[in-house]
């Protein structure tokens, strides 16, 4: 039987290749109940156009950040209310991840644009760390008992001597 996407069926290898997947991925999705290809002689799987659409739906959901369990819950939901509940949970998780990513991006942008040589001496960074620790913002790091180093608790860097800057390295 000649395989194509126009209504005839495909073998597991052809279906996997059609989407750039390994065959074990389709087998795993079948074991999870996400796919149910027809079986022919010798228990060989055949993927119809409907199966190909289902694979495309799974891939699109994965692109949207859904895990296989959430995809299964959506595809097997008994009704629209249950499907919407899955979507609401996924949306809340996505908003949480976006918020975390934005906070990370803000910190990186702040560090890249900071005029301070040591990030831990930056008043903006210190304020953010103090807020994270739920502490008052120290006016002076030494008075707060915190060394002006980003890696708190790490021993100070060893003094380095070079011919241009003398013992201890460059002066700050």
């Amino acid at each position: 039987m000649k395989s194509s996407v126009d209504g005839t069926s495909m073998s597991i290898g052809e279906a996997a290749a059609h989407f750039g997947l390994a065959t074990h991925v389709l087998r795993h999705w079948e074991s999870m109940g996400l796919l149910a290809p027809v079986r022919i002689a010798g228990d060989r799987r055949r993927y119809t156009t409907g199966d190909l659409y289902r694979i495309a739906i799974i891939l699109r959901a994965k692109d949207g950040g859904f895990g296989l369990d959430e995809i299964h819950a959506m595809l097997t939901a008994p009704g629209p209310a249950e499907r919407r509940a899955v979507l609401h949970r996924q949306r809340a998780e996505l908003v949480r991840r976006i918020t975390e990513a934005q906070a990370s991006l803000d910190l990186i942008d702040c560090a890249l644009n900071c005029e301070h040589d040591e990030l831990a001496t930056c008043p903006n960074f210190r304020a953010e760390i103090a807020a994270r620790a739920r502490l008052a913002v120290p006016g002076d790091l030494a008075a707060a008992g915190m060394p002006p180093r980003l890696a708190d608790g790490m021993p100070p860097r060893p003094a380095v001597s070079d011919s241009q800057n003398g013992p201890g390295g460059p002066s700050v």
Side-chain angles (χ1 to χ4, degrees), residues 20-139:
L21 300 170
T23 55
H24 71 85
V25 172
L26 298 181
R27 286 187 195 97
H28 178 64
W29 291 354
E30 182 180 355
S31 74
M32 291 189 68
L34 294 171
L35 294 173
V38 296
R39 301 286 184 137
I40 60 169
D43 206 30
R44 294 171 48 119
R45 295 167 178 87
R46 295 306 293 182
Y47 291 83
T48 65
T49 302
D51 294 314
L52 299 180
Y53 274 103
R54 183 92 165 198
I55 293 168
I57 290 168
I58 294 166
L59 290 171
R60 180 61 184 100
K62 285 178 62 58
D63 288 345
F66 285 80
L68 293 178
D69 290 335
E70 290 87 11
I71 296 169
H72 183 269
M74 273 198 336
L75 294 177
T76 60
E82 293 84 0
R83 204 170 7 266
R84 290 183 64 76
V86 173
L87 291 169
H88 281 293
R89 285 191 304 271
Q90 184 63 23
R91 184 183 189 289
E93 174 61 18
L94 187 56
V95 167
R96 184 193 65 75
R97 289 190 352 233
I98 289 170
T99 300
E100 287 178 358
Q102 186 61 55
S104 294
L105 183 59
D106 292 346
L107 177 63
I108 291 168
D109 286 343
C110 179
L112 288 172
N113 294 316
C114 185
E115 61 191 40
H116 297 85
D117 288 335
E118 184 65 47
L119 188 59
T121 63
C122 172
N124 293 330
F125 181 76
R126 288 192 343 232
E128 181 166 331
I129 296 303
R132 174 78 183 241
R134 297 184 189 114
L135 300 170
V137 180

